[in-house]
Amino acid sequence: MKQFMDQDFLLSTETAKTLFHEHAGKMPIIDYHCHINPEEIAKDRKFDNITQVWLGGDHYKWRQMRSNGVDERYITGDASDREKFQKWAETLEKAIGNPLYHWSHLELQRYFGYHGHLNGKTAEEVWNLCNAKLQEDGMSVRNLIRQSNVTLLCTTDDPADSLEWHKMIAEDETFDVQVLPAWRPDKAMNIEKPDYAEYLAKLGAAAGMEIKSFADLKAALKKRMGFFDGMGCKVSDHALEYVMYAPVSEAGVEELFAKRMQGTELTKEEVLQFKTAYMIFAGREYHRLGWAMQLHYGCKRDNNVFRYGQLGPDTGYDCIDNYAPSAQMADFLNALSAADELPKTIIYSLNPNDNAAIGTILGCFQDAGTIGKIQQGSAWWFNDHKSGMMEQMTSLANLGLLGNFIGMLTDSRSFLSYTRHEYFRRILCELIGGWVENGEYPADMEVLGNMAEDISYRNAVRYFGFEV
């Protein structure tokens, strides 16, 4: 029997162990997509206790606590932090096979030096140990980033954002980790939302102009893109239910925009037409700027309407959507490619059934000028567990070039989530090691070591054009 989460955790072959310990595990981290608050980095926040680090805003954990029958008071309510931590500990001990079990214990090992296991009985011990550690200067936000060997991270930022915290961080010579903005313009696209006009007023104010037409909207967004580009932005991100392609003329989209500004609700087809025009415009601009376009889709959000009314969005009530047509994705990319305006694109679907479809789409739009121009993103959200990562990388290897894969991202709001990169790298090395030891690839450790290092770090540096 192997020891619980020892140095060879998830590594079952000698090749896998060598690849991780001598190559992948030593590489720095590029976190090109996360939801960390840049203000907390600028102010170098320190946390009072482990509950603030672990449970504040983490809907992954909230879902599991609800599955364990925990009252909402101990999840998002007014219970004390100690009470909330106890309920999480009692939940975690039942989470065998869940990535949260591994992530939580990797975080306890790497940041707090705790190699036991957290459950209801050990909660007091772990609570006291972690809280004492968090009072040390080395556990401030910036120092957590440093000790995680992060060289660069990209936050997720609205086009109307002032980016004041990014500017403050960039001007602070005492912190050498790059914190770059990433362009997240969903609010400018979601014309069906009831507060759309209010958002356009905010965006217009940021751009120094009024937005009265679709042409105005594009002009305002181009102004803000220029500002973001000047702040080092190299990547955009879109959260879509699915990738739509319902083309409409320029005059037609202007009519749709005017209709919505007059207070008339658009039909579903009209919304799709508007969003198609919006995304075609966005893709062209990303190509012009040299940015990468991330497309996250396949999620049905806020399914529990009662809880949504109480708690709002991003509180753990989303699920996988079964509607993500590959034909429309191909048509959308082709509309940009036909005019030689297709940017570097990373495709993520929340539905693992889409892996093969995405793999075949990639091969249709690669470009001789850019290695791996069209990427399948790492197993995302409900799929970033051992089997999900194995399936995503196996599918990518079967249908494309795994060696050009740009690897892992945290997609997290927590400063302790960098252990997810370690988790990913161990799984990557285990996958490759298995193929090698089964005689499916030669045991050329120079080639294999470079491949593991590339996927862990260097491919992302090259792909996005980061200067690190």
Side-chain angles (χ1 to χ4, degrees):
M1 179 186 298
K2 292 186 67 175
Q3 292 295 313
F4 170 63
M5 292 185 65
D6 64 4
Q7 66 174 0
D8 292 329
F9 171 57
L10 297 178
L11 307 171
S12 65
T13 67
E14 291 306 310
T15 303
K17 293 172 186 177
T18 299
L19 287 176
F20 178 75
H21 293 303
E22 297 185 15
H23 297 281
K26 294 182 176 181
M27 298 304 291
I29 288 174
I30 292 281
D31 195 19
Y32 55 86
H33 176 65
C34 72
H35 297 278
I36 280 174
N37 184 348
E39 181 179 357
E40 294 184 333
I41 303 175
K43 294 181 176 179
D44 201 17
R45 179 184 177 184
K46 290 184 70 175
F47 298 94
D48 296 325
N49 60 60
I50 186 63
T51 296
Q52 292 180 4
V53 182
W54 263 7
L55 296 175
D58 192 339
H59 51 79
Y60 280 74
K61 294 185 177 75
W62 295 352
R63 286 172 68 98
Q64 301 311 320
M65 292 169 76
R66 290 172 187 137
S67 296
N68 201 34
V70 175
D71 189 276
E72 196 66 30
R73 176 172 175 264
Y74 299 98
I75 303 173
T76 59
D78 61 359
S80 70
D81 285 349
R82 176 64 183 89
E83 290 174 310
K84 290 179 178 179
F85 182 76
Q86 183 68 35
K87 294 297 184 182
W88 167 241
E90 293 168 0
T91 298
L92 186 63
E93 66 183 83
K94 298 181 180 181
I96 186 170
N98 191 297
L100 284 168
Y101 197 87
H102 294 149
W103 297 346
S104 297
H105 284 90
L106 280 174
E107 291 169 17
L108 288 173
Q109 290 183 8
R110 301 295 177 261
Y111 297 106
F112 299 98
Y114 181 76
H115 289 266
H117 49 279
L118 176 60
N119 56 36
K121 293 180 180 179
T122 61
E124 180 68 15
E125 172 193 3
V126 176
W127 170 263
N128 291 330
L129 182 152
C130 291
N131 292 349
K133 185 75 174 177
L134 285 169
Q135 304 316 305
E136 299 176 5
D137 290 339
M139 297 297 283
S140 70
V141 158
R142 291 189 181 189
N143 285 322
L144 287 171
I145 293 171
R146 287 189 184 102
Q147 68 173 288
S148 302
N149 201 15
V150 177
T151 60
L152 183 149
L153 64 90
C154 299
T155 57
T156 306
D157 309 281
D158 186 88
D161 196 295
S162 68
L163 303 185
E164 59 183 300
W165 304 114
H166 294 83
K167 185 174 186 294
M168 185 181 297
I169 296 166
E171 292 174 349
D172 188 344
E173 296 181 356
T174 67
F175 188 59
D176 60 358
V177 179
Q178 293 185 62
V179 180
L180 303 181
W183 175 264
R184 180 68 173 256
D186 298 341
K187 291 181 180 178
M189 182 187 69
N190 291 334
I191 195 169
E192 77 280 11
K193 299 293 185 181
D195 59 350
Y196 188 67
E198 288 84 350
Y199 174 75
L200 292 187
K202 180 180 178 181
L203 176 62
M209 59 180 290
E210 283 191 88
I211 299 175
K212 296 182 177 180
S213 65
F214 185 58
D216 290 342
L217 174 60
K218 293 190 290 185
L221 289 170
K222 288 174 71 173
K223 283 187 176 184
R224 298 305 295 168
M225 285 181 192
F227 173 63
F228 271 59
D229 192 61
M231 291 295 291
C233 180
K234 294 183 181 295
V235 60
S236 68
D237 180 55
H238 296 264
L240 310 167
E241 286 189 28
Y242 53 90
V243 175
M244 71 301 292
Y245 186 68
V248 62
S249 68
E250 193 70 25
V253 72
E254 287 289 3
E255 289 178 9
L256 295 177
F257 188 90
K259 181 179 176 180
R260 178 65 182 85
M261 291 303 98
Q262 292 164 5
T264 304
E265 284 192 22
L266 303 184
T267 66
K268 184 174 182 179
E269 179 64 22
E270 289 172 331
V271 169
L272 293 183
Q273 289 176 333
F274 175 83
K275 290 185 175 183
T276 298
Y278 180 97
M279 289 300 300
I280 293 293
F281 156 75
R284 288 170 176 164
E285 292 304 310
Y286 303 152
H287 178 266
R288 178 180 64 84
L289 291 165
W291 292 3
M293 174 171 66
Q294 293 183 101
L295 304 175
H296 286 88
Y297 65 95
C299 179
K300 186 175 185 298
R301 299 177 185 271
D302 306 321
N303 294 287
N304 189 325
V305 176
F306 174 73
R307 286 300 191 188
Y308 176 79
Q310 291 182 320
L311 304 173
D314 302 321
T315 50
Y317 296 102
D318 307 320
C319 72
I320 292 172
D321 195 333
N322 62 359
Y323 179 65
S326 58
Q328 292 195 25
M329 169 67 79
D331 289 344
F332 167 66
L333 296 179
N334 184 60
L336 292 166
S337 178
D340 194 23
E341 294 177 308
L342 178 62
K344 292 175 287 188
T345 301
I346 311 168
I347 305 171
Y348 310 77
S349 175
L350 199 57
N351 193 330
N353 292 330
D354 294 335
N355 282 337
I358 292 173
T360 60
I361 290 170
L362 304 184
C364 298
F365 298 100
Q366 301 293 10
D367 192 315
T370 305
I371 295 174
K373 178 177 180 177
I374 313 301
Q375 292 270 339
Q376 180 179 13
S378 184
W380 171 47
W381 196 347
F382 295 129
N383 303 307
D384 56 1
H385 43 73
K386 180 182 175 182
S387 58
M389 290 182 186
M390 285 281 196
E391 289 170 9
Q392 182 267 338
M393 286 190 281
T394 299
S395 180
L396 177 57
N398 286 341
L399 298 167
L401 291 176
L402 182 63
N404 289 336
F405 181 32
I406 58 172
M408 187 58 176
L409 60 158
T410 63
D411 194 25
S412 172
R413 293 168 174 80
S414 171
F415 291 96
L416 300 184
S417 289
Y418 297 113
T419 52
R420 295 185 190 179
H421 285 261
E422 177 184 340
Y423 186 65
F424 165 83
R425 293 174 183 185
R426 287 176 178 272
I427 293 168
L428 168 69
C429 293
E430 173 70 3
L431 180 65
I432 293 175
W435 286 330
V436 172
E437 300 220 2
N438 197 40
E440 298 177 51
Y441 192 92
D444 184 333
M445 295 311 294
E446 181 179 358
V447 171
L448 292 166
N450 283 331
M451 185 183 300
E453 292 176 8
D454 286 346
I455 296 170
S456 298
Y457 183 73
R458 288 193 292 258
N459 285 350
V461 174
R462 182 197 69 238
Y463 183 80
F464 294 104
F466 293 137
E467 297 178 4
V468 293

